Amino acid sequence: MNSVAGAVLGPLALFGAATASAQEARDFATYAPRFSAPRIGADEAPTIDGDLSDRAWAKAAVIEEFYQVEPVEGAAPSQPTKAYVMYDEKYLYVGVYNYDSEPDKIVHRLLERDSRLQDEDAVRVFIDSFGTFRDGYFFGTNPNGARVDALLENNSAFRGEWNTIWNVKSRIVEDGWIAEFAIPFQSISFDASLPEWGFQILRTIRRNNEEIRWSNIDRSRGRTDLTNPGRIGGVTDVEAGLGLEAQLFVTGSGAFDWETGETDAALDPSANIFYKITPSLTGSLTFNTDFSDAPLDARQVNTGRFSLFFPETRDFFLQDAAVFEFGGRVFEDDPNGLPFFSRRIGIVNGAPVDIVAGAKLSGKLGPANVGLISARTGASGAVDGQYLSAARVSVPVLGESKAGIVFTHGDPAGGETNTVGGVDFQYKNSTRFEGTFLADLAYLRSFDGGEDGAMFAGDVSYRSLMWNWTARFEDIGEDYRPRLGFANRTALRRYKANYWRAWRPENSFIRFAETGAWVDVVTDLDDEVEDRFYGAWAMAANDAGDEASVEIEHGFLDIREPFDIAGVVPVPVGEYRFTQYEASVSLTSARPVGGRAEVRWGDVYNGDYLSTEFGLNLTPSMHFRFAAAYEYTKFSLPTGAVGIHVGSIDSTVAFSPTMILRTDLQYDNISENFTFFSRFSWEPKPHQEVFISFGHTALIEEERFPQSFRAQGTSLALRLGHTLRF
């Protein structure tokens, strides 16, 4: 054994023995490690360069006791990890030394901001600075120093679109890799009165598909679950300055209409101003809000009876979005009935409108989480400018639970005056049962031009490593209209339940498997069945992270109003029964080549149905990523046939972690619309931005393809941004 190998393997052996001994004494159901972070002087601040040799790190609190969650819960990790934590008046510093006896096998293919760390060797830091045990901040990186930040909501939602100012550097060394974080206290909100914050450090070793945690050693709780985090104390008297932040932008833009020959050019200033009234309560103002950096919506073709849902992607509305969350699991996988949907502000009938000005108050006031927003939109066509407002307040109760109210006012489309009010209760108990019991209830009422409507919904579920179930009920009145929210189907009652069993075979190439069944019934308000679905599924994942699944579904549809599939094939009034089958395979993107394939087939509306989806991900180096997706759906009915093609290509060129070029192409043969959108972003410093976007749209007529390519519009924008903090 050479000296280098001995230096590495010796500590590894001692580390494994020590961790195994500690493991025997741990009760992970109640285990919540804690430490006090030491304070350093501002003149001792380390240089953030991925090197922990700065003298200040010798003063940091040291964390060495980590445990596996995957593949063996509570076991000693295959590689040791050593974390260092300290702070000064402006920053929280976290350094993580990720030892690795085989550094040549470290997976590090991504460089761009907000990369998908699940397919990388990575380190994640979670901060619950309000002691909610539900919501928090996420900061992560990989050995390339890619920056990933997000908001965590309700122990389930991951808002990766949120970005803030912070710094991280990483480097690979001969015995592993190092990550060095500097998180400004001005970039997060916090409750200054709390003696301890929730805190978590999580590491993944991708070649083993291994997950290592400092706290929350419970496989039944996901990576972003903050139910039982570790605790960090001692963070006091930090410098938040005046609490004032101004994001100033100037955008020069031009657009050319190929059909009319008209050119439009503009030079527009805009600003977002944030003021921390207290360290935990932030007031925000926006003027002439600029959304030129918002990505394209994923292309969708509507083949059903109800309108489609597109998620929010604009930064201003994603700031502190957790405080506006309502209803918990009631709206988690089905937004129908949602009282407040921020995308309604600034987008009317699918088209953007100006936001002249807006104000927001978000954060914590005493024990309550508070969110208030009000905006004035500009006129668009026949729709006059509108004042739109929403409010959300919730308070923690019963340890892990919370209760709250929501209120909205205004109609983005300029119709009748609309008001919605509601209450919710989100119950959670993870200490009394072997698993976790959840019960979320919501009641809402709308007042719309003299017509009142109501909605009630409840979701009760149980989650454990083996047995899991969910039961849900919804009652949505015919006149329930949340104009500032989202509702695409009313006048219904819905009963939904599922049940599944999970396995983790030992000494097998299969890491995880599950099988289950579900039923979903929708009736009208007279309890006559409109839709009924039931079926079963099975899936399995191997050690590498590849997955395969199969599903069968039986259904009944009572179509009471005729509609057209994709606007092409009519579906008459009538009762229809169908059976469909589905099979899918996905290959992990931890390899240079990954992808997925899915096929669904069967009958529908007295005809035949076929849907196929294919995806390909290529990551030849950390500087380049390529993804392509294609969907083909075919309906062959007695009333006609249609084949729907939807394709997209996304590419990323990462020159560095702060200089990225992203390009998106989309096309579908129903709208015959082709879209090209390219965005270049560069941050010379964390508070400076140069952004350039170029877009082109065209019509490609399917019957004449490829001869027909009719340009519609071309746009170009240059935005310069600077953030001032006081």
Side-chain angles (χ1 to χ4, degrees):
M1 179 182 296
N2 60 41
S3 59
V4 174
V8 174
L9 295 179
L12 282 175
L14 294 174
F15 154 78
T19 306
S21 176
Q23 167 197 344
E24 295 174 358
R26 295 297 183 203
D27 178 6
F28 290 124
T30 59
Y31 178 57
R34 49 180 28 94
F35 69 94
S36 181
R39 183 182 183 123
I40 62 172
D43 58 343
E44 299 178 280
T47 301
I48 305 302
D49 56 4
D51 183 351
L52 299 180
S53 63
D54 296 83
R55 296 179 62 181
W57 287 112
K59 299 182 178 182
V62 180
I63 300 172
E64 297 183 87
E65 193 171 326
F66 290 83
Y67 297 93
Q68 277 190 36
V69 175
E70 292 285 353
V72 182
E73 182 179 294
S78 65
Q79 307 289 341
T81 305
K82 197 170 185 177
Y84 304 81
V85 184
M86 60 188 181
Y87 74 102
D88 63 18
E89 62 182 11
K90 293 184 178 180
Y91 295 89
L92 177 68
Y93 300 100
V94 181
V96 185
Y97 205 122
N98 304 280
Y99 291 93
D100 200 312
S101 59
E102 299 178 284
D104 58 312
K105 295 183 179 179
I106 293 173
V107 179
H108 57 108
R109 295 191 177 91
L110 301 176
L111 188 60
E112 64 180 298
R113 186 164 193 170
D114 293 333
S115 299
R116 287 170 55 86
L117 293 181
Q118 68 184 43
D119 296 321
E120 296 275 284
D121 276 60
V123 165
R124 301 160 175 85
V125 175
F126 306 81
I127 301 172
D128 177 9
S129 51
F130 289 107
T132 64
F133 302 100
R134 282 177 174 266
D135 307 321
Y137 298 95
F138 172 101
F139 300 93
T141 193
N142 66 355
N144 297 330
R147 284 182 301 160
V148 183
D149 43 11
L151 295 176
L152 307 178
E153 297 177 12
N154 206 35
N155 286 325
S156 56
F158 182 89
R159 304 293 187 186
E161 302 88 353
W162 176 80
N163 289 328
T164 191
I165 294 175
W166 62 293
N167 196 11
V168 66
K169 298 292 181 183
S170 301
R171 67 172 61 185
I172 295 177
V173 293
E174 64 179 6
D175 57 348
W177 66 282
I178 298 170
E180 194 174 16
F181 298 75
I183 302 170
F185 292 112
Q186 285 183 299
S187 293
I188 62 175
S189 298
F190 56 90
D191 185 348
S193 67
L194 279 182
E196 294 181 319
W197 294 356
F199 191 75
Q200 170 73 303
I201 297 176
L202 187 150
R203 176 189 177 187
T204 49
I205 303 174
R206 191 57 187 85
R207 67 179 179 275
N208 302 334
N209 203 4
E210 181 176 347
E211 181 175 324
I212 301 165
R213 300 182 190 176
W214 173 56
S215 62
N216 207 17
I217 317 301
D218 186 340
R219 186 187 288 144
S220 67
R221 296 171 180 158
R223 289 178 180 172
T224 58
D225 193 305
L226 293 167
T227 298
N228 189 30
R231 313 290 197 274
I232 175 174
V235 181
T236 58
D237 300 322
V238 297
E239 177 59 55
L242 297 177
L244 180 63
E245 176 179 309
Q247 299 174 349
L248 307 177
F249 306 97
V250 59
T251 303
S253 61
F256 179 74
D257 189 320
W258 290 87
E259 296 180 335
T260 65
E262 296 180 356
T263 300
D264 183 24
L267 184 66
D268 295 312
S270 59
N272 299 323
I273 299 174
F274 305 92
Y275 177 63
K276 288 192 176 180
I277 302 167
T278 71
S280 59
L281 187 66
T282 302
S284 311
L285 296 174
T286 184
F287 301 97
N288 196 31
T289 317
D290 180 84
F291 298 126
S292 59
D293 59 344
L296 292 177
D297 291 321
R299 184 67 61 95
Q300 300 183 63
V301 173
N302 194 344
T303 61
R305 294 169 284 169
F306 312 110
S307 58
L308 301 175
F309 180 82
F310 293 87
E312 178 64 86
T313 59
R314 299 169 296 174
D315 284 344
F316 179 79
F317 294 105
L318 292 168
Q319 298 286 339
D320 294 325
V323 298
F324 291 95
E325 181 274 331
F326 177 86
R329 303 175 68 87
V330 166
F331 298 108
E332 188 174 88
D333 59 2
D334 182 3
N336 186 33
L338 193 67
F340 175 60
F341 180 36
S342 61
R343 192 181 171 93
R344 295 295 191 208
I345 301 176
I347 300 177
V348 178
N349 298 323
V353 299
D354 293 335
I355 297 180
V356 179
K360 182 169 62 172
L361 183 69
S362 58
K364 200 172 183 68
L365 186 61
N369 292 307
V370 177
L372 307 172
I373 189 170
S374 185
R376 170 67 179 184
T377 60
S380 176
V383 179
D384 295 332
Q386 301 292 314
Y387 287 99
L388 307 170
S389 303
R392 164 69 166 154
V393 179
S394 65
V395 294
V397 294
L398 304 177
E400 299 179 80
S401 307
K402 68 178 180 180
I405 61 173
V406 69
F407 170 86
T408 72
H409 183 74
D411 181 356
E416 297 286 346
T417 300
N418 181 268
T419 300
V420 174
V423 296
D424 72 329
F425 175 59
Q426 300 177 32
Y427 176 77
K428 181 178 183 180
N429 192 322
S430 64
T431 59
R432 190 170 181 178
F433 307 96
E434 182 177 342
T436 301
F437 179 79
L438 306 112
D440 294 345
L441 305 173
Y443 176 79
L444 293 152
R445 193 166 191 88
S446 69
F447 306 89
D448 189 72
E451 294 184 347
D452 300 353
M455 170 184 178
F456 171 77
D459 183 292
V460 180
S461 57
Y462 176 77
R463 298 289 181 266
S464 73
L465 291 177
M466 185 177 299
W467 303 104
N468 302 268
W469 56 265
T470 301
R472 177 180 296 180
F473 170 72
E474 298 175 12
D475 186 309
I476 305 178
E478 183 176 3
D479 295 323
Y480 175 66
R481 297 186 179 92
R483 305 285 188 183
L484 201 53
F486 180 84
N488 61 358
R489 188 178 186 182
T490 59
L492 64 86
R493 293 190 178 104
R494 185 177 186 183
Y495 309 83
K496 186 176 182 180
N498 57 42
Y499 181 83
W500 73 93
R501 166 75 154 85
W503 287 270
R504 291 180 174 270
E506 296 183 4
N507 303 317
S508 171
F509 72 95
I510 295 178
R511 170 74 64 89
F512 174 81
E514 69 179 27
T515 184
W518 82 92
V519 61
D520 187 355
V521 179
V522 177
T523 75
D524 60 20
L525 298 179
D526 293 322
D527 295 320
E528 293 185 5
V529 175
E530 292 185 347
D531 303 341
R532 181 177 60 244
F533 311 95
Y534 61 94
W537 83 92
M539 67 82 65
N542 64 12
D543 281 333
D546 305 313
E547 296 183 4
S549 66
V550 293
E551 178 184 299
I552 181 173
E553 179 181 39
H554 298 284
F556 165 81
L557 297 169
D558 182 0
I559 305 300
R560 301 180 179 182
E561 296 288 340
F563 73 99
D564 295 335
I565 296 174
V568 177
V569 176
V571 177
V573 171
E575 295 185 354
Y576 302 91
R577 290 170 174 78
F578 68 87
T579 300
Q580 294 181 2
Y581 309 88
E582 182 180 296
S584 66
V585 176
S586 65
L587 304 178
T588 174
S589 293
R591 307 184 186 96
V593 180
R596 67 182 301 272
E598 179 181 299
V599 58
R600 188 177 183 91
W601 71 98
D603 51 287
V604 68
Y605 307 128
N606 294 335
D608 296 325
Y609 173 81
L610 173 67
S611 175
T612 58
E613 297 183 23
F614 301 96
L616 174 67
N617 298 310
L618 300 177
T619 315
S621 77
M622 66 179 178
H623 295 289
F624 182 74
R625 180 183 61 82
F626 174 88
Y630 171 71
E631 300 177 27
Y632 173 69
T633 305
K634 185 176 182 180
F635 292 85
S636 299
L637 309 184
T639 56
V642 62
I644 302 168
H645 302 266
V646 180
S648 65
I649 297 176
D650 305 324
S651 69
T652 299
V653 180
F655 304 97
S656 74
T658 59
M659 184 183 291
I660 312 292
L661 175 64
R662 297 182 176 92
T663 302
D664 303 324
L665 292 86
Q666 297 180 350
Y667 172 76
D668 75 85
N669 69 318
I670 299 301
S671 69
E672 299 184 328
N673 182 264
F674 168 83
T675 303
F676 173 95
F677 187 48
S678 189
R679 297 166 290 152
F680 172 81
S681 61
W682 176 38
E683 296 180 23
K685 296 180 180 179
H687 58 278
Q688 297 176 346
E689 176 205 56
V690 177
F691 177 82
I692 302 172
S693 67
F694 174 79
H696 184 79
T697 60
L699 285 178
I700 302 178
E701 297 179 14
E702 183 182 17
E703 295 181 357
R704 299 171 57 194
F705 179 83
Q707 290 79 15
S708 172
F709 185 95
R710 191 167 77 246
Q712 290 185 300
T714 300
S715 62
L716 177 67
L718 168 64
R719 187 178 78 182
L720 302 179
H722 192 93
T723 299
L724 302 174
R725 284 181 165 177
F726 304 95

